[in-house]
Amino acid sequence: MPLGDHLRELRKRLMLACAGILVGAIGGWFLYDPVLHLLQAPVAELRERGVNATLNFSQVAASFDIKLRVAAFLGLLASCPWWIYQLWAFLAPGLKRNERRWAVVVIAAGVPLFAGGVYMAWIALPNTFLLLTQFVPDGETSSALIDVTTYLKFVMQFLLIFGVAFILPLILVLLNFLGMVKGITWLKGWRWAVIIIVVLAALATPTADAVTFIMMSLPIVALYFAAVGICMLNDRRVAKKLRAAADSADVDSTH
């Protein structure tokens, strides 16, 4: 396919992905109140600890801005299967039939992995938030006025980074199944991979505390080694298939 056709196809898929996110955001607009209440759960836990913690709408348009942010965030989450499919639809024309079959399996796994990353982040969020605010003194004389824009940016970034990070090992598997990189190559580079994951997790973490980025990096490291294991098994399967084909060719040549 010519470069111009590739660019037009890419533009088409990006537009369709954005349209799906927009539709999800429209639905998220009407779910704003219950979702905002849910996102405030860590603040409620802080109040249960005896700290006078409240979300502060410090700007005139803050409430409208927050509603837009939450709606867009929900649209991105809800349309996850759609925009992952658009990625697949862009890649599919350049793949062979067997490559397409494996790519479908790999990309389809991206949906539960993304959801699993977001869910894990949601479980870790209350403890992370309490850890970061544990030095606020208890009692009526102390108050924690938390800017709502900063707080929700922290929460949404925290959830999305976990979700995207859980998808990254799929790239390793996809490249291997397409025959571009051997599993042994990923295995030999495991030390650099761990270092890169830890560094990127530290840079991507919304806060500067070590606990949060360790909680983020460990599952990704585990997924990396799981991906390497899948690649190694696939390489063994391909090598066995090639040996069988070679043996069959030798038998045919002797007759």
Side-chain angles (χ1 to χ4, degrees):
M1 183 182 294
L3 179 60
D5 292 339
H6 275 296
L7 293 177
R8 281 189 288 272
E9 179 68 14
L10 178 60
R11 182 181 63 182
K12 174 186 174 182
R13 295 302 168 185
L14 287 175
M15 291 179 64
L16 287 173
C18 291
I21 295 174
L22 179 60
V23 172
I26 293 174
W29 179 272
F30 296 100
L31 295 174
Y32 168 74
D33 289 333
V35 170
L36 182 63
H37 178 75
L38 188 63
L39 293 176
Q40 294 182 70
V43 180
E45 291 188 22
L46 190 60
R47 283 198 295 267
E48 292 177 0
R49 245 187 54 196
V51 177
N52 183 21
T54 57
L55 291 181
N56 182 27
F57 290 81
S58 58
Q59 299 177 0
V60 175
S63 59
F64 180 72
D65 178 63
I66 290 303
K67 191 166 185 175
L68 285 178
R69 288 173 181 264
V70 172
F73 174 69
L74 293 176
L76 187 64
L77 292 184
S79 63
C80 169
W82 174 251
W83 51 260
I84 289 181
Y85 168 76
Q86 296 306 319
L87 172 63
W88 151 247
F90 176 70
L91 295 174
L95 302 178
K96 299 178 182 178
R97 179 176 297 180
N98 62 326
E99 294 174 340
R100 193 176 302 175
R101 183 177 64 251
W102 287 113
V104 168
V105 175
V106 171
I107 293 178
V111 175
L113 278 176
F114 181 80
V118 172
Y119 179 71
M120 181 175 179
W122 179 252
I123 293 176
L125 178 62
N127 289 334
T128 301
F129 184 75
L130 291 176
L131 175 67
L132 298 177
T133 56
Q134 65 178 330
F135 299 106
V136 178
D138 299 343
E140 298 180 357
T141 58
S142 300
S143 298
L145 298 178
I146 304 169
D147 181 71
V148 66
T149 303
T150 303
Y151 171 74
L152 287 181
K153 181 180 178 182
F154 162 75
V155 172
M156 291 186 288
Q157 183 179 347
F158 190 76
L159 297 178
L160 287 177
I161 287 175
F162 264 76
V164 172
F166 272 53
I167 297 179
L168 294 180
L170 281 178
I171 299 176
L172 308 185
V173 178
L174 184 59
L175 292 176
N176 175 260
F177 277 36
L178 295 179
M180 299 175 65
V181 183
K182 296 290 185 181
I184 191 65
T185 303
W186 298 130
L187 184 61
K188 289 180 178 178
W190 73 268
R191 294 179 180 84
W192 283 107
V194 171
I195 293 173
I196 291 172
I197 289 171
V198 171
V199 171
L200 292 180
L203 293 175
T205 302
T207 58
D209 65 293
V211 176
T212 301
F213 92 81
I214 289 175
M215 291 174 61
M216 179 181 293
S217 59
L218 286 181
I220 303 174
V221 171
L223 286 174
Y224 172 83
F225 283 107
V228 170
I230 294 173
C231 293
M232 297 291 288
L233 290 175
N234 180 61
D235 289 342
R236 185 179 300 177
R237 178 188 63 83
V238 172
K240 183 177 180 181
K241 186 177 179 180
L242 291 175
R243 284 196 301 269
D247 293 340
S248 178
D250 292 339
V251 171
D252 292 339
S253 64
T254 57
H255 293 288

Short mmCIF file of all heavy atoms in Angstrom, two decimals, residues 83-128:
data_model
loop_
_atom_site.label_atom_id
_atom_site.label_comp_id
_atom_site.label_asym_id
_atom_site.label_seq_id
_atom_site.Cartn_x
_atom_site.Cartn_y
_atom_site.Cartn_z
N TRP A 83 -11.32 1.61 20.53
CA TRP A 83 -10.08 2.16 19.98
C TRP A 83 -8.98 1.12 19.87
O TRP A 83 -8.08 1.25 19.03
CB TRP A 83 -9.62 3.41 20.72
CG TRP A 83 -9.49 3.39 22.21
CD1 TRP A 83 -10.37 3.88 23.12
CD2 TRP A 83 -8.38 2.89 22.98
NE1 TRP A 83 -9.89 3.72 24.41
CE2 TRP A 83 -8.67 3.12 24.34
CE3 TRP A 83 -7.17 2.28 22.63
CZ2 TRP A 83 -7.82 2.74 25.38
CZ3 TRP A 83 -6.30 1.91 23.66
CH2 TRP A 83 -6.63 2.15 25.01
N ILE A 84 -9.05 0.04 20.66
CA ILE A 84 -8.10 -1.05 20.46
C ILE A 84 -8.42 -1.78 19.16
O ILE A 84 -7.53 -2.19 18.41
CB ILE A 84 -8.12 -2.02 21.66
CG1 ILE A 84 -7.47 -1.35 22.88
CG2 ILE A 84 -7.39 -3.32 21.33
CD1 ILE A 84 -7.41 -2.21 24.11
N TYR A 85 -9.72 -1.91 18.85
CA TYR A 85 -10.12 -2.50 17.57
C TYR A 85 -9.63 -1.66 16.39
O TYR A 85 -9.21 -2.19 15.36
CB TYR A 85 -11.64 -2.65 17.50
CG TYR A 85 -12.12 -2.99 16.10
CD1 TYR A 85 -11.97 -4.27 15.58
CD2 TYR A 85 -12.69 -2.01 15.29
CE1 TYR A 85 -12.38 -4.57 14.29
CE2 TYR A 85 -13.10 -2.30 14.00
CZ TYR A 85 -12.95 -3.58 13.50
OH TYR A 85 -13.34 -3.87 12.23
N GLN A 86 -9.68 -0.34 16.52
CA GLN A 86 -9.20 0.53 15.45
C GLN A 86 -7.71 0.32 15.21
O GLN A 86 -7.24 0.38 14.07
CB GLN A 86 -9.50 2.00 15.78
CG GLN A 86 -10.97 2.33 15.86
CD GLN A 86 -11.72 1.93 14.62
OE1 GLN A 86 -11.24 2.10 13.49
NE2 GLN A 86 -12.93 1.40 14.79
N LEU A 87 -6.95 0.09 16.27
CA LEU A 87 -5.53 -0.25 16.12
C LEU A 87 -5.37 -1.54 15.32
O LEU A 87 -4.54 -1.62 14.41
CB LEU A 87 -4.89 -0.40 17.50
CG LEU A 87 -3.46 -0.93 17.55
CD1 LEU A 87 -2.51 0.02 16.84
CD2 LEU A 87 -3.01 -1.17 18.98
N TRP A 88 -6.19 -2.54 15.67
CA TRP A 88 -6.16 -3.80 14.96
C TRP A 88 -6.54 -3.60 13.48
O TRP A 88 -5.90 -4.15 12.58
CB TRP A 88 -7.08 -4.79 15.64
CG TRP A 88 -7.67 -5.81 14.70
CD1 TRP A 88 -8.97 -5.95 14.33
CD2 TRP A 88 -6.97 -6.84 14.00
NE1 TRP A 88 -9.13 -6.98 13.45
CE2 TRP A 88 -7.91 -7.56 13.23
CE3 TRP A 88 -5.63 -7.23 13.95
CZ2 TRP A 88 -7.56 -8.62 12.43
CZ3 TRP A 88 -5.29 -8.30 13.14
CH2 TRP A 88 -6.24 -8.98 12.39
N ALA A 89 -7.58 -2.82 13.22
CA ALA A 89 -8.05 -2.62 11.85
C ALA A 89 -6.99 -1.92 11.00
O ALA A 89 -6.92 -2.14 9.79
CB ALA A 89 -9.35 -1.81 11.86
N PHE A 90 -6.18 -1.08 11.62
CA PHE A 90 -5.11 -0.41 10.88
C PHE A 90 -3.98 -1.38 10.54
O PHE A 90 -3.38 -1.31 9.46
CB PHE A 90 -4.57 0.76 11.69
CG PHE A 90 -3.40 1.46 11.06
CD1 PHE A 90 -3.56 2.23 9.91
CD2 PHE A 90 -2.13 1.33 11.61
CE1 PHE A 90 -2.47 2.87 9.32
CE2 PHE A 90 -1.04 1.97 11.03
CZ PHE A 90 -1.22 2.73 9.89
N LEU A 91 -3.69 -2.32 11.46
CA LEU A 91 -2.58 -3.24 11.25
C LEU A 91 -2.97 -4.43 10.37
O LEU A 91 -2.12 -4.99 9.67
CB LEU A 91 -2.08 -3.77 12.60
CG LEU A 91 -1.45 -2.76 13.55
CD1 LEU A 91 -1.13 -3.42 14.88
CD2 LEU A 91 -0.19 -2.16 12.95
N ALA A 92 -4.25 -4.84 10.40
CA ALA A 92 -4.68 -6.08 9.77
C ALA A 92 -4.36 -6.19 8.28
O ALA A 92 -3.93 -7.25 7.82
CB ALA A 92 -6.18 -6.27 10.00
N PRO A 93 -4.56 -5.14 7.46
CA PRO A 93 -4.31 -5.30 6.01
C PRO A 93 -2.89 -5.69 5.66
O PRO A 93 -2.65 -6.28 4.61
CB PRO A 93 -4.66 -3.91 5.45
CG PRO A 93 -5.62 -3.34 6.43
CD PRO A 93 -5.14 -3.82 7.75
N GLY A 94 -1.93 -5.36 6.52
CA GLY A 94 -0.54 -5.68 6.22
C GLY A 94 -0.08 -7.02 6.76
O GLY A 94 1.11 -7.35 6.65
N LEU A 95 -1.00 -7.80 7.34
CA LEU A 95 -0.63 -9.07 7.95
C LEU A 95 -1.10 -10.24 7.10
O LEU A 95 -2.11 -10.16 6.40
CB LEU A 95 -1.25 -9.19 9.35
CG LEU A 95 -0.90 -8.09 10.36
CD1 LEU A 95 -1.63 -8.34 11.66
CD2 LEU A 95 0.60 -8.03 10.59
N LYS A 96 -0.36 -11.35 7.18
CA LYS A 96 -0.80 -12.59 6.56
C LYS A 96 -1.91 -13.22 7.39
O LYS A 96 -2.18 -12.79 8.51
CB LYS A 96 0.39 -13.55 6.43
CG LYS A 96 1.53 -13.01 5.57
CD LYS A 96 2.69 -13.99 5.53
CE LYS A 96 3.84 -13.44 4.71
NZ LYS A 96 5.01 -14.36 4.69
N ARG A 97 -2.52 -14.28 6.83
CA ARG A 97 -3.68 -14.86 7.52
C ARG A 97 -3.31 -15.40 8.89
O ARG A 97 -4.02 -15.16 9.88
CB ARG A 97 -4.27 -15.99 6.67
CG ARG A 97 -5.48 -16.67 7.30
CD ARG A 97 -6.09 -17.70 6.39
NE ARG A 97 -6.60 -17.09 5.16
CZ ARG A 97 -7.19 -17.77 4.18
NH1 ARG A 97 -7.31 -19.09 4.28
NH2 ARG A 97 -7.63 -17.15 3.12
N ASN A 98 -2.20 -16.16 8.99
CA ASN A 98 -1.82 -16.70 10.30
C ASN A 98 -1.38 -15.60 11.24
O ASN A 98 -1.65 -15.65 12.44
CB ASN A 98 -0.70 -17.73 10.14
CG ASN A 98 0.57 -17.13 9.54
OD1 ASN A 98 0.49 -16.22 8.71
ND2 ASN A 98 1.71 -17.63 9.97
N GLU A 99 -0.69 -14.57 10.71
CA GLU A 99 -0.30 -13.43 11.55
C GLU A 99 -1.53 -12.68 12.05
O GLU A 99 -1.57 -12.22 13.20
CB GLU A 99 0.61 -12.49 10.76
CG GLU A 99 1.95 -13.09 10.37
CD GLU A 99 2.73 -12.18 9.45
OE1 GLU A 99 2.13 -11.29 8.81
OE2 GLU A 99 3.97 -12.34 9.36
N ARG A 100 -2.53 -12.58 11.19
CA ARG A 100 -3.75 -11.88 11.57
C ARG A 100 -4.46 -12.61 12.70
O ARG A 100 -5.00 -11.99 13.62
CB ARG A 100 -4.66 -11.76 10.35
CG ARG A 100 -5.80 -10.80 10.50
CD ARG A 100 -6.57 -10.67 9.20
NE ARG A 100 -5.70 -10.23 8.12
CZ ARG A 100 -6.09 -10.12 6.86
NH1 ARG A 100 -7.33 -10.44 6.51
NH2 ARG A 100 -5.25 -9.69 5.94
N ARG A 101 -4.46 -13.94 12.63
CA ARG A 101 -5.12 -14.73 13.67
C ARG A 101 -4.46 -14.51 15.03
O ARG A 101 -5.14 -14.28 16.04
CB ARG A 101 -5.08 -16.21 13.31
CG ARG A 101 -5.81 -17.10 14.31
CD ARG A 101 -5.81 -18.56 13.88
NE ARG A 101 -4.46 -19.13 13.86
CZ ARG A 101 -3.80 -19.44 12.77
NH1 ARG A 101 -4.34 -19.22 11.58
NH2 ARG A 101 -2.59 -19.96 12.84
N TRP A 102 -3.13 -14.56 15.06
CA TRP A 102 -2.43 -14.34 16.32
C TRP A 102 -2.56 -12.90 16.79
O TRP A 102 -2.67 -12.64 17.99
CB TRP A 102 -0.95 -14.71 16.15
CG TRP A 102 -0.71 -16.18 16.08
CD1 TRP A 102 -0.27 -16.90 15.01
CD2 TRP A 102 -0.92 -17.12 17.13
NE1 TRP A 102 -0.19 -18.23 15.31
CE2 TRP A 102 -0.58 -18.40 16.62
CE3 TRP A 102 -1.37 -17.03 18.44
CZ2 TRP A 102 -0.67 -19.56 17.38
CZ3 TRP A 102 -1.47 -18.18 19.20
CH2 TRP A 102 -1.11 -19.43 18.67
N ALA A 103 -2.56 -11.97 15.86
CA ALA A 103 -2.70 -10.56 16.24
C ALA A 103 -4.06 -10.29 16.88
O ALA A 103 -4.18 -9.49 17.80
CB ALA A 103 -2.51 -9.66 15.02
N VAL A 104 -5.10 -10.97 16.37
CA VAL A 104 -6.43 -10.80 16.96
C VAL A 104 -6.42 -11.25 18.42
O VAL A 104 -6.95 -10.58 19.31
CB VAL A 104 -7.48 -11.61 16.16
CG1 VAL A 104 -8.79 -11.69 16.92
CG2 VAL A 104 -7.73 -10.95 14.82
N VAL A 105 -5.78 -12.41 18.67
CA VAL A 105 -5.72 -12.93 20.04
C VAL A 105 -4.96 -11.97 20.95
O VAL A 105 -5.39 -11.66 22.07
CB VAL A 105 -5.06 -14.32 20.05
CG1 VAL A 105 -4.88 -14.82 21.48
CG2 VAL A 105 -5.90 -15.31 19.26
N VAL A 106 -3.82 -11.48 20.45
CA VAL A 106 -2.98 -10.61 21.27
C VAL A 106 -3.66 -9.28 21.56
O VAL A 106 -3.71 -8.81 22.70
CB VAL A 106 -1.62 -10.37 20.56
CG1 VAL A 106 -0.82 -9.31 21.29
CG2 VAL A 106 -0.83 -11.67 20.50
N ILE A 107 -4.23 -8.66 20.52
CA ILE A 107 -4.87 -7.36 20.71
C ILE A 107 -6.13 -7.48 21.55
O ILE A 107 -6.44 -6.61 22.37
CB ILE A 107 -5.15 -6.70 19.35
CG1 ILE A 107 -3.82 -6.37 18.67
CG2 ILE A 107 -5.98 -5.45 19.50
CD1 ILE A 107 -3.96 -5.76 17.29
N ALA A 108 -6.88 -8.60 21.35
CA ALA A 108 -8.08 -8.81 22.17
C ALA A 108 -7.72 -8.92 23.65
O ALA A 108 -8.51 -8.52 24.52
CB ALA A 108 -8.81 -10.07 21.71
N ALA A 109 -6.53 -9.42 23.94
CA ALA A 109 -6.09 -9.50 25.33
C ALA A 109 -5.82 -8.12 25.91
O ALA A 109 -5.76 -7.97 27.14
CB ALA A 109 -4.83 -10.36 25.42
N GLY A 110 -5.65 -7.12 25.05
CA GLY A 110 -5.39 -5.77 25.54
C GLY A 110 -6.54 -5.20 26.33
O GLY A 110 -6.34 -4.40 27.26
N VAL A 111 -7.78 -5.58 26.00
CA VAL A 111 -8.95 -5.04 26.71
C VAL A 111 -8.96 -5.46 28.17
O VAL A 111 -9.01 -4.62 29.07
CB VAL A 111 -10.25 -5.43 25.99
CG1 VAL A 111 -11.46 -4.96 26.79
CG2 VAL A 111 -10.30 -4.85 24.59
N PRO A 112 -8.90 -6.78 28.48
CA PRO A 112 -8.86 -7.15 29.90
C PRO A 112 -7.61 -6.68 30.62
O PRO A 112 -7.66 -6.39 31.82
CB PRO A 112 -8.97 -8.68 29.88
CG PRO A 112 -8.55 -9.08 28.52
CD PRO A 112 -8.96 -7.98 27.61
N LEU A 113 -6.48 -6.60 29.90
CA LEU A 113 -5.26 -6.12 30.54
C LEU A 113 -5.39 -4.65 30.93
O LEU A 113 -5.01 -4.24 32.03
CB LEU A 113 -4.05 -6.31 29.63
CG LEU A 113 -3.42 -7.70 29.60
CD1 LEU A 113 -2.32 -7.77 28.59
CD2 LEU A 113 -2.91 -8.09 30.98
N PHE A 114 -5.93 -3.84 30.01
CA PHE A 114 -6.14 -2.43 30.31
C PHE A 114 -7.10 -2.28 31.48
O PHE A 114 -6.85 -1.51 32.42
CB PHE A 114 -6.71 -1.72 29.08
CG PHE A 114 -6.95 -0.24 29.28
CD1 PHE A 114 -5.91 0.66 29.20
CD2 PHE A 114 -8.22 0.23 29.56
CE1 PHE A 114 -6.13 2.02 29.39
CE2 PHE A 114 -8.45 1.58 29.76
CZ PHE A 114 -7.41 2.48 29.67
N ALA A 115 -8.20 -3.05 31.45
CA ALA A 115 -9.17 -2.99 32.55
C ALA A 115 -8.54 -3.47 33.86
O ALA A 115 -8.80 -2.91 34.93
CB ALA A 115 -10.40 -3.84 32.21
N GLY A 116 -7.70 -4.52 33.76
CA GLY A 116 -7.03 -5.02 34.96
C GLY A 116 -6.08 -4.00 35.55
O GLY A 116 -5.97 -3.87 36.77
N GLY A 117 -5.37 -3.27 34.68
CA GLY A 117 -4.46 -2.24 35.18
C GLY A 117 -5.21 -1.12 35.88
O GLY A 117 -4.79 -0.65 36.94
N VAL A 118 -6.34 -0.69 35.29
CA VAL A 118 -7.15 0.35 35.91
C VAL A 118 -7.72 -0.14 37.24
O VAL A 118 -7.74 0.60 38.24
CB VAL A 118 -8.29 0.77 34.96
CG1 VAL A 118 -9.28 1.70 35.67
CG2 VAL A 118 -7.73 1.46 33.72
N TYR A 119 -8.17 -1.39 37.26
CA TYR A 119 -8.75 -1.94 38.50
C TYR A 119 -7.70 -2.04 39.61
O TYR A 119 -7.96 -1.71 40.76
CB TYR A 119 -9.34 -3.32 38.22
CG TYR A 119 -9.92 -3.99 39.44
CD1 TYR A 119 -11.10 -3.52 40.01
CD2 TYR A 119 -9.30 -5.09 40.02
CE1 TYR A 119 -11.64 -4.13 41.13
CE2 TYR A 119 -9.83 -5.71 41.15
CZ TYR A 119 -11.00 -5.23 41.70
OH TYR A 119 -11.53 -5.83 42.82
N MET A 120 -6.49 -2.47 39.23
CA MET A 120 -5.42 -2.56 40.23
C MET A 120 -5.07 -1.18 40.77
O MET A 120 -4.82 -1.01 41.97
CB MET A 120 -4.19 -3.21 39.61
CG MET A 120 -3.04 -3.36 40.59
SD MET A 120 -1.64 -4.26 39.91
CE MET A 120 -0.53 -4.19 41.32
N ALA A 121 -5.05 -0.20 39.87
CA ALA A 121 -4.76 1.17 40.31
C ALA A 121 -5.85 1.66 41.26
O ALA A 121 -5.56 2.35 42.24
CB ALA A 121 -4.65 2.09 39.10
N TRP A 122 -7.11 1.30 40.96
CA TRP A 122 -8.22 1.73 41.82
C TRP A 122 -8.11 1.12 43.21
O TRP A 122 -8.41 1.77 44.22
CB TRP A 122 -9.55 1.36 41.18
CG TRP A 122 -10.73 1.73 42.01
CD1 TRP A 122 -11.57 0.90 42.69
CD2 TRP A 122 -11.21 3.06 42.27
NE1 TRP A 122 -12.52 1.61 43.36
CE2 TRP A 122 -12.33 2.94 43.11
CE3 TRP A 122 -10.79 4.32 41.86
CZ2 TRP A 122 -13.04 4.06 43.55
CZ3 TRP A 122 -11.50 5.42 42.31
CH2 TRP A 122 -12.61 5.28 43.14
N ILE A 123 -7.67 -0.14 43.28
CA ILE A 123 -7.48 -0.79 44.58
C ILE A 123 -6.35 -0.12 45.36
O ILE A 123 -6.43 0.08 46.58
CB ILE A 123 -7.18 -2.29 44.38
CG1 ILE A 123 -8.42 -3.00 43.82
CG2 ILE A 123 -6.76 -2.94 45.70
CD1 ILE A 123 -8.18 -4.47 43.51
N ALA A 124 -5.28 0.25 44.64
CA ALA A 124 -4.11 0.85 45.30
C ALA A 124 -4.32 2.32 45.63
O ALA A 124 -3.61 2.87 46.48
CB ALA A 124 -2.88 0.69 44.42
N LEU A 125 -5.28 2.97 44.99
CA LEU A 125 -5.45 4.41 45.12
C LEU A 125 -5.71 4.88 46.55
O LEU A 125 -5.06 5.82 47.02
CB LEU A 125 -6.56 4.89 44.19
CG LEU A 125 -6.89 6.39 44.24
CD1 LEU A 125 -5.68 7.22 43.83
CD2 LEU A 125 -8.07 6.71 43.34
N PRO A 126 -6.67 4.28 47.29
CA PRO A 126 -6.93 4.78 48.65
C PRO A 126 -5.70 4.73 49.55
O PRO A 126 -5.41 5.70 50.27
CB PRO A 126 -8.04 3.84 49.16
CG PRO A 126 -8.71 3.35 47.92
CD PRO A 126 -7.63 3.21 46.91
N ASN A 127 -4.98 3.60 49.52
CA ASN A 127 -3.78 3.50 50.37
C ASN A 127 -2.70 4.48 49.94
O ASN A 127 -2.00 5.06 50.78
CB ASN A 127 -3.23 2.07 50.32
CG ASN A 127 -4.11 1.08 51.04
OD1 ASN A 127 -4.84 1.45 51.97
ND2 ASN A 127 -4.08 -0.17 50.63
N THR A 128 -2.57 4.68 48.62
CA THR A 128 -1.60 5.66 48.13
C THR A 128 -1.96 7.06 48.59
O THR A 128 -1.09 7.82 49.05
CB THR A 128 -1.54 5.62 46.59
OG1 THR A 128 -1.19 4.30 46.16
CG2 THR A 128 -0.52 6.60 46.06
#
